[in-house]
Amino acid sequence: MNKIFDYSKARIAAAGVVAAILLILTGLAVKADGLTVWKLALGILISLLLGGSLLIRKEIRFPKWVSALLIPLLPILTLCLTECFTHVPQDLTPAIFFLNYLAYLILCLAGITVFGSTRGGLTFGTLVPMIFGLVNYYVVSFRSSPVVPWDFYSLGTAASVADNYNLDVPFRLLFVIFGFVAVIFLGRRTSLKFQKKQWKIRLVSVVVSIGLVFGYVQAVKTDEVGELAGLDTTLFTPNVLYRNNGLIAAFVSNLKFMDVEKPAGYSVSAAEELAESVETEENTATVTKATKESPNIIVIMNEAFSDLDIYGDFETSEDYMPFIHSLKESKEAEVGKLYVSVKGGNTANTEFEFLTGNSMGFLPAGSVPYQQYIKQEQPSLASHLGALGYVTSALHPYRAAGWCRDKVYPLLGFDNTYFQNDFENATKLRGYVDDESAFAKLKELYQERQGESPLFAFEVTMQNHGGYSKEYTDLFPDIRLTGYSGKETTNTEATEKYLTLVQKTDAAFKELTEYFATQDEPTVILMFGDHQPSDYICNPILRLMGQDSSIRESSVDELRKGYVVPYILWSNYDLEKEEDNAISANYLSGYLLDKIGLPLSGYQTWLLGLREEYPVITANFYADGTADDLTFHKWEELPSDTKVHDYNILQYNNLTDWKHRLTNFFD
């Protein structure tokens, strides 16, 4: 027995550490899935076996022929395990499976050449996909969509809010990790390696391996390889795309979307022709400047604020949005449906659509314009109102660098910016400045410039940010889902915490409107959500109503329910109000100015004309018809000769071909 096992202190310590880590993961998995004896026993047994395997003597290695055989075989196991994080390998066609397999094989070969042995190379080729797959699993859990290449721009933003998320370890996830540990163990027992005198061969091998990696990436990005392998190109639901194409191939193929594609038929003259079709204020009359009588404009984009009754009627212990619901019933404010392009995250994209009038529908799926495309001055609602004489201020009670806001806001034309450190003496909830304090800052800005130029304040809140599963000393689920007695889960309580936060927003908004109702200066307040919370918050409500969460992938009419949030347009003076209005975020700023009676830019005027034919345009779908009678469609159903294509041409000139931007038209 001693010939097989090594009981030295170092090996015993290593085995103990690995076994302890796996036992901790087992405990977390059992806690997340509910305690069952068989799960606990199986987890403990596998943890001890995998940890104890490290005691096998270093000298005991597979023969060279077995080691050589494992080089092509272990990548297959790694691929299957990686897919098991979120899907199953059976979802992949043979051609797509092989395309993904090539990536894992090349990664292992590159590792072997760099580390000089199959022992190090196969370990590297297994460990990297395991970490990547694990990251993708939690990204999908938190924001309901997979990792995309431009997420690496957002690492700082993601890290800043990570503390409020629970990293649960379901039992399925645990066994995938167990599988990776077993594969790593097999790789560590292989025996092939480069000899010191073979350094020239090894150097050539490293160069060839790097070339293979580069060649693979370039090839998978091409349409020809995608068509040959049969890759799914439907961006309708990213999770389905990754399921059909495999994690690696889907991620790599997304690299081709790092740059904005020029629309067919684009030219500066084509954009000019479209712009000339709009009779702007400059052409017909003198543009009026804002005066003391012009209304103050306060816009609040409220983090994860949504009304989940979009999925159907469900019962709660008390109304989670009593004030806003009363406004809709009494018609004291315009309460409508706002369609957005994101869910569970990527807040800045709704912000981008609202402020600029541009649409995520023409940009790479999952991209973040604030981080990728806005590197110079960009016409926006802020620059437009600033030109009209408004004092323009952007507020965000969190870190300035989040989504690069500290750099982007000045480029959008904001005169003043206020971030976390500017909210002095603010009260916090779960570590975030609460909406009551966030709204108090708006009143402070109003009071500071009262009687001078009118105010345009745009605030992005933080109170309702994701991470509802953790236990907090300052947040208890006051709102309860009824009908769940005896069937509560961790997600049920998280949903109840979310609804409790929404109720606190509702109360803070009521207090804000009550304050401005007493002010003499005309003031308009627009509040809307940036996106719905992640699916795990909505799923308990679907289960409560007997619905399967998978129906959201069944049709565009079901999918669109996950991308609608409320908007509330309130004023302290008479303002015409629409009923049952529906609009997408790209139209909302122009719609707001038109409601108030302020001059519009040529672009805003053109967009309001487009809205008459296409009331909703998002990254995931579009709708035609009228605002109170919409028909939703997938993007693939859009004819090529519509005004939506013209929209793409104008947006490309505005956002991408900025050196030839039609400045007078956009701003």
Side-chain angles (χ1 to χ4, degrees):
M1 186 66 70
N2 287 337
K3 292 181 179 180
I4 299 175
F5 294 100
D6 183 349
Y7 296 108
S8 65
K9 291 181 179 179
R11 284 194 170 272
I12 292 174
V17 168
V18 171
I21 292 173
L22 295 178
L23 286 170
I24 291 171
L25 291 175
T26 297
L28 293 173
V30 171
K31 178 183 177 183
D33 286 10
L35 178 62
T36 58
V37 175
W38 75 266
K39 286 182 179 179
L40 184 62
L42 186 59
I44 291 174
L45 176 63
I46 296 177
S47 298
L48 294 176
L49 287 175
L50 291 174
S53 66
L54 294 183
L55 295 174
I56 297 176
R57 288 184 173 276
K58 180 179 178 181
E59 294 79 14
I60 298 178
R61 300 282 182 84
F62 295 128
K64 290 184 177 181
W65 69 271
V66 174
S67 299
L69 190 62
L70 287 176
I71 294 175
L73 290 180
L74 290 189
I76 296 177
L77 296 177
T78 302
L79 189 165
C80 293
L81 288 166
T82 304
E83 292 302 310
C84 283
F85 275 122
T86 53
H87 303 108
V88 290
Q90 299 95 295
D91 290 331
L92 305 180
T93 65
I96 292 177
F97 186 96
F98 180 72
L99 185 65
N100 280 271
Y101 167 71
L102 286 178
Y104 292 87
L105 178 61
I106 291 170
L107 186 64
C108 286
L109 293 175
I112 291 170
T113 60
V114 171
F115 290 96
S117 68
T118 52
R119 184 169 181 259
L122 293 176
T123 300
F124 171 80
T126 305
L127 199 58
V128 170
M130 183 187 84
I131 295 172
F132 186 55
L134 197 59
V135 168
N136 182 65
Y137 168 82
Y138 283 113
V139 168
V140 170
S141 299
F142 295 152
R143 76 175 188 201
S144 306
S145 61
V147 168
V148 287
W150 34 92
D151 280 334
F152 290 103
Y153 293 131
S154 312
L155 289 177
T157 302
S160 71
V161 297
D163 289 345
N164 272 333
Y165 287 93
N166 267 344
L167 300 182
D168 290 329
V169 184
F171 221 67
R172 171 194 176 98
L173 182 64
L174 177 69
F175 273 91
V176 174
I177 294 173
F178 282 158
F180 272 108
V181 174
V183 172
I184 289 172
F185 170 77
L186 291 175
R188 300 290 292 175
R189 292 293 155 188
T190 56
S191 56
L192 295 177
K193 62 180 179 180
F194 287 98
Q195 301 298 325
K196 290 183 179 180
K197 60 183 179 181
Q198 296 177 307
W199 67 269
K200 291 183 180 179
I201 298 176
R202 183 179 174 187
L203 180 61
V204 172
S205 300
V206 169
V207 173
V208 171
S209 297
I210 294 174
L212 286 174
V213 171
F214 180 78
Y216 178 86
V217 170
Q218 293 301 113
V220 175
K221 285 167 56 180
T222 64
D223 293 336
E224 291 77 12
V225 170
E227 292 173 4
L228 183 64
L231 289 178
D232 185 356
T233 58
T234 305
L235 301 177
F236 181 52
T237 46
N239 284 326
V240 175
L241 184 75
Y242 273 56
R243 180 193 70 194
N244 294 342
N245 291 346
L247 176 59
I248 298 299
F251 181 86
V252 171
S253 64
N254 269 335
L255 288 170
K256 65 186 175 186
F257 298 125
M258 290 293 281
D259 296 318
V260 181
E261 183 179 356
K262 182 185 293 187
Y266 174 79
S267 66
V268 176
S269 60
E272 288 174 338
E273 185 176 341
L274 290 171
E276 289 169 0
S277 68
V278 177
E279 190 174 6
T280 64
E281 292 281 353
E282 288 88 346
N283 294 334
T284 59
T286 302
V287 177
T288 56
K289 290 284 185 177
T291 65
K292 292 181 180 180
E293 287 70 40
S294 299
N296 299 294
I297 301 172
I298 294 175
V299 179
I300 302 164
M301 192 177 80
N302 202 282
E303 173 64 38
F305 182 74
S306 66
D307 193 346
L308 298 183
D309 70 355
I310 186 68
Y311 296 107
D313 294 330
F314 61 96
E315 295 183 3
T316 54
S317 56
E318 57 184 283
D319 195 339
Y320 53 88
M321 206 181 287
F323 178 62
I324 293 172
H325 286 161
S326 71
L327 289 176
K328 185 174 183 179
E329 291 296 325
S330 65
K331 301 178 183 178
E332 292 180 23
E334 182 174 317
V335 181
K337 294 184 176 70
L338 178 68
Y339 285 90
V340 297
S341 293
V342 292
K343 177 171 60 176
N346 282 9
T347 291
N349 288 356
T350 303
E351 194 174 336
F352 164 78
E353 289 187 311
F354 170 75
L355 288 172
T356 67
N358 295 324
S359 174
M360 293 300 302
F362 307 124
L363 300 178
S367 58
V368 182
Y370 273 20
Q371 295 176 319
Q372 293 169 251
Y373 311 129
I374 299 183
K375 305 299 181 185
Q376 61 286 317
E377 290 185 356
Q378 171 67 40
S380 76
L381 178 62
S383 61
H384 182 70
L385 288 174
L388 292 178
Y390 274 76
V391 175
T392 60
S393 300
L395 305 86
H396 180 52
Y398 204 58
R399 298 174 185 174
W403 299 122
C404 302
R405 287 188 176 99
D406 56 341
K407 298 181 177 65
V408 170
Y409 281 159
L411 294 174
L412 293 176
F414 283 103
D415 300 322
N416 311 299
T417 56
Y418 302 88
F419 295 105
Q420 185 171 252
N421 294 336
D422 299 306
F423 287 73
E424 298 177 358
N425 303 316
T427 54
K428 293 187 176 183
L429 189 58
R430 302 184 304 144
Y432 299 131
V433 171
D434 61 23
D435 281 356
E436 183 179 3
S437 292
F439 297 170
K441 187 69 175 178
L442 293 170
K443 290 185 286 186
E444 180 185 315
L445 293 185
Y446 166 77
Q447 292 162 358
E448 287 176 352
R449 47 107 334 257
Q450 198 168 17
E452 299 176 3
S453 299
L455 171 69
F456 168 53
F458 175 74
E459 182 169 48
V460 181
T461 68
M462 279 297 291
Q463 174 190 283
N464 304 334
H465 198 282
Y468 315 103
S469 298
K470 291 184 69 173
E471 297 295 326
Y472 300 98
T473 58
D474 58 353
L475 176 64
F476 302 94
D478 299 326
I479 307 293
R480 293 290 184 177
L481 292 171
T482 57
Y484 257 100
S485 180
K487 297 183 289 185
E488 292 84 357
T489 66
T490 301
N491 286 353
T492 305
E493 185 171 313
T495 303
E496 293 170 339
K497 288 178 182 176
Y498 169 76
L499 294 174
T500 301
L501 289 168
V502 168
Q503 190 185 62
K504 293 181 183 296
T505 294
D506 182 82
F509 184 69
K510 179 182 180 182
E511 194 278 331
L512 182 67
T513 59
E514 288 175 344
Y515 170 80
F516 278 102
T518 66
Q519 301 302 304
D520 294 330
E521 292 188 26
T523 300
V524 173
I525 302 177
L526 171 66
M527 185 172 81
F528 58 90
D530 57 349
H531 54 69
Q532 287 188 18
S534 299
D535 285 342
Y536 78 95
I537 296 300
C538 307
N539 287 342
I541 291 174
L542 292 175
R543 289 198 301 272
L544 190 62
M545 296 185 294
Q547 298 181 21
D548 187 340
S549 60
S550 64
I551 65 171
R552 277 171 292 189
E553 297 179 357
S554 63
S555 71
V556 67
D557 201 53
E558 290 298 331
L559 178 84
R560 61 99 186 170
K561 294 178 182 178
Y563 294 90
V564 60
V565 293
Y567 79 84
I568 306 97
L569 181 59
W570 178 93
S571 64
N572 63 356
Y573 66 98
D574 289 336
L575 194 65
E576 184 182 353
K577 301 172 180 66
E578 305 291 335
E579 291 186 44
D580 300 320
N581 194 35
I583 192 170
S584 50
N586 58 310
Y587 295 127
L588 190 57
S589 59
Y591 176 79
L592 172 64
L593 294 188
D594 191 48
K595 266 298 194 194
I596 297 171
L598 288 173
L600 277 66
S601 70
Y603 192 36
Q604 290 165 335
T605 303
W606 192 92
L607 286 175
L608 290 185
L610 177 66
R611 180 176 177 250
E612 294 178 3
E613 191 173 348
Y614 297 95
V616 170
I617 294 179
T618 76
N620 306 289
F621 47 78
Y622 71 94
D624 51 23
T626 59
D628 58 353
D629 185 21
L630 298 174
T631 302
F632 290 87
H633 305 274
K634 300 178 182 179
W635 273 102
E636 303 91 88
E637 300 172 16
L638 181 71
S640 59
D641 57 348
T642 68
K643 284 189 69 176
V644 177
H645 179 68
D646 295 339
Y647 184 13
N648 193 2
I649 289 175
L650 288 173
Q651 177 170 312
Y652 188 85
N653 177 264
N654 183 19
L655 179 66
T656 307
D657 191 16
W658 53 271
K659 291 183 179 179
H660 304 104
R661 179 186 294 148
L662 309 179
T663 305
N664 292 335
F665 176 74
F666 290 105
D667 203 356

